[in-house]
Each structure stands twice: as structure tokens, then as C-alpha cells.
Amino acid sequence: YSLKRLQVITFFPRLTLVYLSSKFEENSKLKDSNSSLQISSMNSRRNQKVKLCHMILPRIAELSLASSADGWLLYDFRGINPLAADILKLGKAMLSRRWFLYVPAHGTPTLIHHRIEAGSWSNLLVGETVNRRVYSSHEELDALLSDTLRGAKTVLMEYSPRGSVPYVSRVDAGTLERVRECGVSVIS
């Protein structure tokens, strides 16, 4: 069968209405029980993802406090940091631009992402209280990063001094320079 139209409408971060309007090829029919099962399965996976993610950001803040850091700055660009995607349960999200998520030890996390990925990010970190900030240029990125890290002295990142533990050293040197220019010290 072929589905002609699928529309997903998000009314509220935790409330997603799935509306299926379909016309099928003449030779195939979809029974109500199958469509109910598909919708139930979709909602179950989404709710499970929301619950997992909703518990993660407060835990990251606790880890920052325990390590005496002001926060944890997660970073990725085109999947070079699989740890960040795994930690946030991003799954197979199509993200091709650099993004930062700063989770302070105290306060509201801030996500910085490129403007062309606003649609992708609107479906990620659902149920989380996150300030979302959008950039379009390197200058805007630097200004947003500096503003986000204002007041912080030390941040955690997936970085290993001198590459001692290459399994966790996922942030490139240029990005470390960019973060350090904001006046913070980066620790692992």
C-alpha cells in the first residue's frame, strides 16, 4: 500500500497529535486495527524517548556539580562526537551543522544550533526546558557561545588532554580554541 499523506502536528512539547489522512491504491486496504497499532507503536517509542531525555539534562547538571565545573558543554558536528548524540538520545537525527548544548550546574540549559536545522531540533529534546538559540554565521555563533558561557569559569567537554584517552576525546582543537576564547577553561 502507499500512504498519500501523513501529517504530524505538535501542539505542546509533550503532546503530539498524529493525524493520518490516507488514500490507498485501489488494490490495497489498511484495516483500522493495523493503523491503530502503528500509531500506538509510534507514540510509545516517542513517549519512551521523551522520558529518557527528560531525565538526562538534570543528571548532566549533577555531574557538573560533582566535578566542580560550572557546566557541561556538549558539542557535535556531523556526528564526530557520537558520545553527545548517545547521551542526549538523539538517535539518527540528520544534523549537519555544528551545535552546542550548555548544561549549567545551576540554571536552564541552552542549545545553540544553526538556523537551517531548526526543524530537526524542534523534534529533539522534547519535554526538556531548554533555551534554544539560533545562529547563521560564525560571528553569530561566537557571540551566542560567549553570551551563553558568560559567568562560567570551567566547563566539561568530551576532551582528553594530550589525547591521553582517545575514546573520549571528541572535540577538535579549533572548537576548543573557540570555547577558550569565551574565557572558560575546558576540563575532561
Side-chain angles (χ1 to χ4, degrees):
Y1 62 87
S2 64
L3 186 62
K4 295 289 185 188
R5 191 168 154 208
L6 169 66
Q7 202 173 22
V8 179
I9 306 167
T10 303
F11 288 105
F12 195 72
R14 288 190 184 190
L15 175 65
T16 300
L17 170 67
V18 177
Y19 170 72
L20 293 173
S21 170
S22 60
K23 288 188 176 181
F24 297 94
E25 302 293 332
E26 286 181 21
N27 295 337
S28 60
K29 294 181 180 178
L30 181 64
K31 295 183 178 172
D32 288 340
S33 62
N34 284 344
S35 63
S36 296
L37 181 62
Q38 286 178 335
I39 292 170
S40 173
S41 176
M42 285 170 54
N43 287 337
S44 174
R45 283 193 301 266
R46 184 169 177 84
N47 289 340
Q48 184 180 26
K49 186 174 178 179
V50 167
K51 287 176 188 171
L52 283 172
C53 191
H54 191 64
M55 296 182 300
I56 290 170
L57 296 185
R59 180 70 181 128
I60 292 172
E62 289 172 18
L63 290 171
S64 299
L65 260 176
S67 65
S68 300
D70 295 306
W72 189 345
L73 183 62
L74 291 161
Y75 162 79
D76 192 27
F77 172 65
R78 302 186 85 176
I80 64 170
N81 186 357
L83 298 172
D86 286 347
I87 290 168
L88 296 176
K89 310 288 185 212
L90 298 182
K92 303 228 183 249
M94 287 294 299
L95 301 171
S96 62
R97 302 292 190 268
R98 63 183 90 215
W99 59 265
F100 292 87
L101 176 66
Y102 180 58
V103 183
H106 302 286
T108 304
T110 299
L111 172 67
I112 301 171
H113 65 82
H114 196 278
R115 121 186 115 68
I116 67 168
E117 294 184 336
S120 295
W121 279 106
S122 69
N123 295 316
L124 300 170
L125 301 178
V126 175
E128 291 289 349
T129 302
V130 178
N131 295 324
R132 296 169 188 261
R133 306 191 69 191
V134 179
Y135 72 92
S136 296
S137 67
H138 288 286
E139 294 79 17
E140 287 178 353
L141 173 60
D142 290 338
L144 288 173
L145 193 57
S146 182
D147 185 52
T148 299
L149 296 175
R150 183 172 291 128
K153 293 183 174 142
T154 305
V155 296
L156 294 165
M157 289 188 82
E158 299 76 39
Y159 152 75
S160 177
R162 299 181 43 92
S164 299
V165 185
Y167 300 105
V168 297
S169 194
R170 298 297 185 156
V171 180
D172 63 275
T175 300
L176 285 173
E177 290 170 359
R178 174 174 260 142
V179 170
R180 288 177 177 147
E181 286 174 4
C182 295
V184 298
S185 174
V186 177
I187 60 174
S188 178

